[in-house]
Amino acid sequence: IKPDTIIINNGRDNVIMNVKDIVQITSATPYVSIHLENKKYLYSETLKSVSEQLDENIFIRMHKSTIVNITQVCSFKSRLNGDYDLQLTNGIVIRLSRTYVSDFKRHFNTGHQVSL
């Protein structure tokens, strides 16, 4: 069972963060940067160790240095070279590397059908 919250040590403060509020996680060696809607935190773990703590059906690797909360993706379009641009609900556009396209599409198409 994956946790619903993680604790980020932010200087002297410890911030309890809801996992569902995470938009994306990026590598910021030797830390990772955890991005929320309007804030980001440095976390002293590797991208790999953080990804192992999160639900792999929701947090999908996009690039060797980026993990995205798939529920925050509102659209994606091909760059015609195998890579894609993903539009997040907060307006940020990130690159989906061709290495991770099939995994992304499998998760996006099975769990996130939109009915009109």
Side-chain angles (χ1 to χ4, degrees):
I1 293 183
K2 303 294 182 178
D4 291 334
T5 60
I6 58 173
I7 298 172
I8 305 289
N9 183 313
N10 192 23
R12 291 190 325 211
D13 298 331
N14 289 300
V15 179
I16 299 172
M17 182 182 307
N18 276 324
V19 169
K20 65 179 174 42
D21 294 337
I22 297 172
V23 175
Q24 69 174 325
I25 303 167
T26 56
S27 178
T29 307
Y31 304 99
V32 292
S33 181
I34 298 179
H35 302 252
L36 304 180
E37 186 70 37
N38 51 15
K39 214 172 201 177
K40 60 183 169 183
Y41 295 94
L42 284 179
Y43 190 46
S44 60
E45 293 210 25
T46 65
L47 207 56
K48 184 178 189 322
S49 70
V50 170
S51 71
E52 289 169 353
Q53 296 172 46
L54 300 171
D55 185 339
E56 66 276 357
N57 293 312
I58 296 173
F59 291 91
I60 310 295
R61 195 76 173 246
M62 296 291 117
H63 190 267
K64 65 181 180 179
S65 61
T66 308
I67 296 172
V68 165
N69 180 338
I70 201 164
T71 66
Q72 301 289 325
V73 175
C74 58
S75 67
F76 59 97
K77 68 179 179 186
S78 175
R79 286 185 161 191
L80 304 176
N81 66 352
D83 291 356
Y84 283 76
D85 285 325
L86 301 182
Q87 173 89 36
L88 303 182
T89 55
N90 63 3
I92 292 175
V93 175
I94 60 167
R95 184 167 68 94
L96 169 59
S97 168
R98 67 182 67 87
T99 308
Y100 301 100
V101 166
S102 61
D103 192 43
F104 168 79
K105 283 185 173 179
R106 186 167 38 83
H107 282 87
F108 196 83
N109 290 334
T110 56
H112 302 279
Q113 291 293 334
V114 177
S115 53
L116 301 172

